[in-house]
Amino acid sequence: MKLYKLAIIWLLPALAFAQSSFRLSELNLKSEIRDVLPADLDQDGIKELLVISHNNLNGKDKAYLTVFRADSDTNYQQKNSLTIELPERFVIYDSGVLPGEKGQVVIFLSKQGVEYYRYLGSHLEGPIHLLNFSGPFLFQLPAPAKLVYYHFLYDFNQDGINEILIFSFGFAQIFYYRDSIWQETSIEIPLELNYLTIPQLRKIFPHSEIEVSYYTPNFFTADLEGDKKPELFAISDGLVWIYRQNSQGIFNSQPCFRLNLKPPEYKPRPRERGMLNLQIADLDDDRKADLILNHQSGTFFNQKANLKIYLGKQQWWLNNPLPIKNWNFSSWLIGPFVRDINSDKNNDLIVPTIQIGIVSAAKVMLTNNFPFDWRYYLSINHTLPNEPTHIEQLNLRIDFQEGRMIGGFPNLFGDFNGDGVDDLIYGKSSQELVVVIKDQRGRRTNQQEIISVPIGLVPSIEDLNGDQKDDIILTYPQDPIRKSEFRVLVNKGAW
């Protein structure tokens, strides 16, 4: 009997490994990883991994692009990678389909131009000059240590061909591909500027620095009136500017509507941007642009939030109608998020809320668990309920001494068993990742898997091989030990 029990103890780890739904690949570089961006460069149905990394050698910053290629079984290996050093002039990167190219490209913005790399399997060809642009670029200073990702290669007018959007001060340039050439236009955009200085200290610091910060607008593409000709929305801290297309599919340089939707009680203060969030989405699935307004107020121990929804069928941009939904919360909100989480062809609303008072703050300090609720409003017949369908309760584990999250940030937007329903992954500890399958109503089931792996700050979810089952990418930007590592968990399970 003792031998039997001993055999079981020895076999359990092997059985757990054999039944694992994920195959783990551990990859690393000689530089500090900033981002891992999946992209199918060669259009074979399996995505390559584009890794942007950085090193400081002898006081000089250098940035690198590494491409990891997978085999037909979605195996990513160190030997199947190539690395190039990026020119110092690059400041923003993206990937996507460029008109005239067979596969996807890796594309960069510099101070006055656009360049890209073509992937040829064994090497990257480039940088290839694409176009120049006039006027000052909003991101002027090259910074290899701070290359920024932005999805500027995108089909903004929904005509099937990607455009290129470049920010300038007070306007944006949009390049359209017409008759085998790039046509440049510009649109006026809202631009928010903040200045911070302390004049009361002028006697002590007569030439002190002035902190200047500016924010680009959020861009949304949606159909304002349901005429199958989408508009472009530029939103910045309560300002909503709407641009129509002309007959050539080019957005007019001036907005057709300039709206200021800041609530009368909204009193922004320095460093408090984010207390007002506006989004454009189609919540009732009528192919018309709806408006979501999230206004937060109060203090850390007295949080308040007001969430309003205006439907496109009400013509919220014209008539100043009453909101179709008006919720008040004794908490702060993140987002919210619009997504069909249960695959019933109805867009749903997910509202993450953070609430903490003096008593709960003491509990947080003692337990290192930060309360975090996700409120699910599941739409029925394209109508949202007044009360949450259910609430997903999660805790963020905080190491206050180290000043970091122990188990990372949960991700609720991945489908791991291919049923069209969003599942959940979260860090149970710093070394345990939990994948939980959900049912058609978005509720947890008993079907789950615990994976022994170091947890990243925010687990990234991506279907890397087109099998309709999401895979997981873990990076460690705030971990001094693992900052040059990343891990790929390819979903191989039958669930």
Side-chain angles (χ1 to χ4, degrees):
M1 183 63 71
K2 289 184 178 180
L3 288 175
Y4 173 77
K5 291 182 178 179
L6 186 62
I8 292 294
I9 291 172
W10 279 99
L11 281 173
L12 277 177
L15 288 172
F17 179 79
Q19 294 174 358
S20 174
S21 300
F22 294 89
R23 185 183 62 234
L24 173 64
S25 296
E26 299 181 354
L27 304 164
N28 61 79
L29 298 175
K30 295 180 180 179
S31 47
E32 184 176 339
I33 294 173
R34 296 299 192 196
D35 190 19
V36 179
L37 179 66
D40 189 2
L41 297 178
D42 54 8
Q43 300 290 279
D44 67 348
I46 299 178
K47 295 178 181 178
E48 284 71 42
L49 300 178
L50 314 180
V51 183
I52 299 293
S53 60
H54 154 262
N55 249 346
N56 186 286
L57 301 174
N58 300 320
K60 187 175 181 62
D61 285 325
K62 292 183 180 296
Y64 305 90
L65 167 64
T66 301
V67 179
F68 284 85
R69 184 179 71 252
D71 60 21
S72 58
D73 195 32
T74 325
N75 266 310
Y76 295 93
Q77 299 182 38
Q78 204 78 34
K79 64 181 181 180
N80 294 332
S81 67
L82 59 96
T83 300
I84 60 171
E85 182 180 331
L86 296 173
E88 294 182 13
R89 61 183 176 272
F90 292 162
V91 292
I92 293 183
Y93 66 93
D94 192 11
S95 69
V97 177
L98 198 61
E101 289 289 335
K102 294 181 179 179
Q104 291 191 26
V105 303
V106 192
I107 189 166
F108 294 85
L109 299 183
S110 60
K111 289 178 67 174
Q112 291 185 324
V114 182
E115 302 171 68
Y116 69 96
Y117 289 87
R118 181 185 295 134
Y119 180 63
L120 300 177
S122 60
H123 68 282
L124 289 163
E125 182 181 0
I128 302 168
H129 179 264
L130 184 64
L131 54 87
N132 293 321
F133 48 83
S134 58
F137 180 32
L138 196 59
F139 301 80
Q140 282 294 299
L141 298 178
K146 297 179 181 178
L147 267 174
V148 178
Y149 169 77
Y150 187 80
H151 197 14
F152 62 86
L153 179 63
Y154 181 75
D155 186 6
F156 289 96
N157 61 1
Q158 303 294 291
D159 66 349
I161 302 174
N162 283 336
E163 286 79 48
I164 293 175
L165 184 145
I166 298 168
F167 290 109
S168 298
F169 286 90
F171 67 96
Q173 293 164 281
I174 304 180
F175 290 83
Y176 301 82
Y177 195 70
R178 297 288 188 273
D179 300 322
S180 300
I181 62 172
W182 289 95
Q183 178 180 342
E184 177 184 355
T185 67
S186 66
I187 61 171
E188 186 180 354
I189 60 172
L191 182 66
E192 295 289 323
L193 284 163
N194 285 322
Y195 305 95
L196 180 63
T197 185
I198 306 176
Q200 291 81 2
L201 298 180
R202 55 180 169 262
K203 290 293 185 180
I204 303 173
F205 302 109
H207 311 294
S208 63
E209 66 180 13
I210 299 176
E211 180 183 314
V212 183
S213 58
Y214 51 84
Y215 300 90
T216 64
N218 285 309
F219 280 101
F220 298 88
T221 297
D223 194 339
L224 193 66
E225 297 163 326
D227 59 359
K228 299 182 180 180
K229 198 171 183 180
E231 280 73 30
L232 184 67
F233 297 76
I235 299 180
S236 182
D237 201 33
L239 302 178
V240 180
W241 293 9
I242 307 174
Y243 311 81
R244 294 193 189 277
Q245 299 181 40
N246 63 20
S247 57
Q248 287 77 43
I250 294 174
F251 291 110
N252 296 324
S253 59
Q254 297 294 320
C256 58
F257 297 103
R258 298 173 188 254
L259 309 175
N260 187 344
L261 301 182
K262 297 178 183 179
E265 63 273 18
Y266 178 55
K267 296 179 175 59
R269 292 178 288 183
R271 301 179 183 272
E272 285 195 1
R273 186 179 176 84
M275 303 304 286
L276 179 63
N277 178 273
L278 282 77
Q279 299 180 54
I280 301 296
D282 183 8
L283 274 165
D284 57 351
D285 308 291
D286 65 350
R287 299 184 180 180
K288 294 182 181 180
D290 306 322
L291 174 71
I292 304 172
L293 188 151
N294 169 18
H295 174 219
Q296 305 184 71
S297 59
T299 64
F300 186 76
F301 294 112
N302 183 28
Q303 299 105 320
K304 297 178 182 178
N306 176 238
L307 181 61
K308 295 179 181 179
I309 295 175
Y310 301 86
L311 296 181
K313 64 184 66 172
Q314 299 174 289
Q315 293 188 311
W316 53 264
W317 59 93
L318 287 177
N319 302 326
N320 192 28
L322 294 174
I324 196 70
K325 298 291 181 183
N326 188 355
W327 291 296
N328 289 304
F329 296 89
S330 298
S331 57
W332 284 340
L333 312 182
I334 297 176
F337 303 103
V338 177
R339 186 176 172 94
D340 180 8
I341 66 165
N342 54 359
S343 192
D344 65 350
K345 309 302 181 184
N346 284 254
N347 273 331
D348 307 305
L349 188 70
I350 304 94
V351 184
T353 62
I354 297 175
Q355 181 180 18
I356 188 166
I358 296 177
V359 175
S360 54
K363 291 181 180 179
V364 168
M365 297 298 292
L366 290 173
T367 64
N368 287 356
N369 288 328
F370 197 93
F372 198 32
D373 289 346
W374 297 68
R375 299 171 183 266
Y376 285 77
Y377 295 81
L378 300 188
S379 180
I380 299 176
N381 295 326
H382 313 294
T383 302
L384 293 173
N386 292 323
E387 299 296 329
T389 309
H390 70 274
I391 299 175
E392 180 82 47
Q393 295 184 334
L394 295 168
N395 285 323
L396 301 182
R397 297 197 62 206
I398 309 295
D399 185 336
F400 289 99
Q401 291 184 344
E402 296 290 335
R404 62 184 180 88
M405 282 194 288
I406 299 172
F409 200 83
N411 196 325
L412 289 82
F413 305 124
D415 179 10
F416 297 106
N417 62 347
D419 64 352
V421 177
D422 278 340
D423 303 311
L424 163 69
I425 59 174
Y426 68 94
K428 183 178 180 181
S429 68
S430 62
Q431 298 292 323
E432 291 181 305
L433 182 69
V434 183
V435 179
V436 182
I437 302 300
K438 293 193 172 184
D439 62 21
Q440 289 291 328
R441 291 186 60 80
R443 298 179 184 273
R444 296 192 194 191
T445 68
N446 294 325
Q447 196 173 7
Q448 68 175 35
E449 182 171 336
I450 300 176
I451 307 166
S452 296
V453 64
I455 306 303
L457 179 63
V458 182
S460 177
I461 294 176
E462 187 85 21
D463 183 3
L464 295 172
N465 52 15
D467 65 355
Q468 310 306 312
K469 296 178 182 178
D470 281 319
D471 310 292
I472 303 170
I473 301 173
L474 300 174
T475 57
Y476 310 94
Q478 294 184 340
D479 189 333
I481 299 176
R482 298 187 175 90
K483 61 185 179 182
S484 299
E485 305 172 4
F486 72 100
R487 287 166 172 78
V488 182
L489 288 82
V490 176
N491 191 345
K492 305 296 290 184
W495 293 103

